[in-house]
Amino acid sequence: MKFTTIRLKHSRSEIQIESIKHYDIYSKISTIAEFHNDFKIYKWNKFYDLIGLVDPWNLAISEKFKSILEVNNIKGWKCYPIKIENVNTNYFLLEIIGYVGIVREYDKDGDRIYGTTEVETKTWDGSDIFHIGETGIRV
């Protein structure tokens, strides 16, 4: 199998957004969306179909991106509408619910060996979009 990771462009002008209210960055997306769906632009000014939040774990997607996922019956995600202050375009918090386990190798002292990420394909739930183990890697 061949997989591709989902990454932000990270161009100099790509916007980042932040919640108007503070939240724990390790919260589930559904919790963030339920209580913190009002956002503002944190920096920059260029909008893409995938935009990052100030926290490193979460993403927002445009209505166009959401439509592409729906039309193509892509599995492994949910989304929640958000409002971005002074922006008329619809965006959604993206929650990746697909999963595959990660192969972990340990040294003789029981410490995890870091390096190449290898997935346990037998644990893959068949989703088109998924997280690898408990990492922040989105595929």
Side-chain angles (χ1 to χ4, degrees), residues 14-21 33 36-54 58-63 80-94:
E14 173 185 350
I15 72 157
Q16 279 187 310
I17 59 173
E18 68 178 339
S19 175
I20 291 174
K21 296 178 187 174
H36 307 281
N37 64 347
D38 291 318
F39 287 79
K40 64 182 179 180
I41 296 173
Y42 172 71
K43 67 178 178 180
W44 308 115
N45 60 8
K46 183 129 183 167
F47 283 83
Y48 291 98
D49 290 314
L50 225 105
I51 59 176
L53 277 59
V54 173
N58 299 304
L59 300 170
I61 60 173
S62 69
E63 192 163 28
Y80 306 89
I82 60 172
K83 296 177 212 138
I84 304 173
E85 198 174 73
N86 300 318
V87 174
N88 294 327
T89 306
N90 294 327
Y91 276 88
F92 302 83
L93 285 181
L94 177 67

Side-chain angles (χ1 to χ4, degrees), residues 65-106:
F65 194 99
K66 178 181 177 282
S67 178
I68 290 169
L69 294 174
E70 291 168 338
V71 166
N72 290 286
N73 201 28
I74 302 298
K75 295 183 179 14
W77 64 281
K78 290 182 182 179
C79 68
Y80 306 89
I82 60 172
K83 296 177 212 138
I84 304 173
E85 198 174 73
N86 300 318
V87 174
N88 294 327
T89 306
N90 294 327
Y91 276 88
F92 302 83
L93 285 181
L94 177 67
E95 179 179 23
I96 298 174
I97 57 175
Y99 178 83
V100 67
I102 186 171
V103 173
R104 300 194 193 296
E105 294 182 15
Y106 298 91

